[in-house]
Amino acid sequence: TTRYVAYVNRKDPLSKRRSISLAQMAQQSVVVPEDGSLTQRILAQKQEQHGLTFQRIIKTTTFPVMKEAVLHGVGIGLFLEDSHFPSKHLAAVPIIEMDGTYEDCLVVLKSRQNFRIIESFLDLLAPFDWKN
């Protein structure tokens, strides 16, 4: 399971906070993935639910581009926790109104389950019960 967090450049004073509200985020540039993403749908729901409008949303194509944007001070990134390679230059700050968790799932077609590359990948997941 995972939750949404705001990834903030450690040079930003917001990186020292224990949590951040959506209202505080709405005052910043917020970096999100492309149109149609779960992140954008959840953010739109939360904006409507809390009567907020984010004035500066920057849409990118990939998580690495989002991370680079945050590292270069472009804005705050809205990520699922642990969805990118860690960096000592970023802080993950919990978002007060987005404390729900989401499950990561892996789906493999039964007809492809025995492909060597698939088996190798699944072997990496040995601590998890992936065969159910």
Side-chain angles (χ1 to χ4, degrees), residues 7-102:
Y7 276 102
V8 182
N9 189 306
R10 288 213 187 263
K11 294 177 184 175
D12 188 316
L14 291 174
S15 70
K16 309 288 187 271
R17 298 184 58 94
R18 294 185 120 165
S19 61
I20 188 171
S21 71
L22 287 174
Q24 291 168 317
M25 288 180 66
Q27 305 303 311
Q28 308 289 322
S29 294
V30 177
V31 183
V32 297
E34 72 279 351
D35 287 332
S37 68
L38 174 64
T39 301
Q40 279 203 34
R41 291 194 312 263
I42 298 294
L43 181 58
Q45 290 171 356
K46 294 296 182 177
Q47 286 181 85
E48 185 177 329
Q49 182 181 357
H50 296 282
L52 297 169
T53 302
F54 283 52
Q55 297 297 319
R56 294 171 291 188
I57 294 181
I58 300 166
K59 299 174 186 175
T60 66
T61 55
T62 65
F63 287 117
V65 173
M66 289 176 63
K67 178 182 176 182
E68 286 299 315
V70 176
L71 285 170
H72 290 283
V74 172
I76 297 172
L78 182 58
F79 286 84
L80 283 168
E81 192 171 34
D82 300 327
S83 65
H84 73 83
F85 193 75
S87 170
K88 64 181 178 181
H89 302 291
L90 295 178
V93 182
I95 303 165
I96 296 166
E97 299 88 349
M98 295 181 78
D99 60 349
T101 58
Y102 300 86

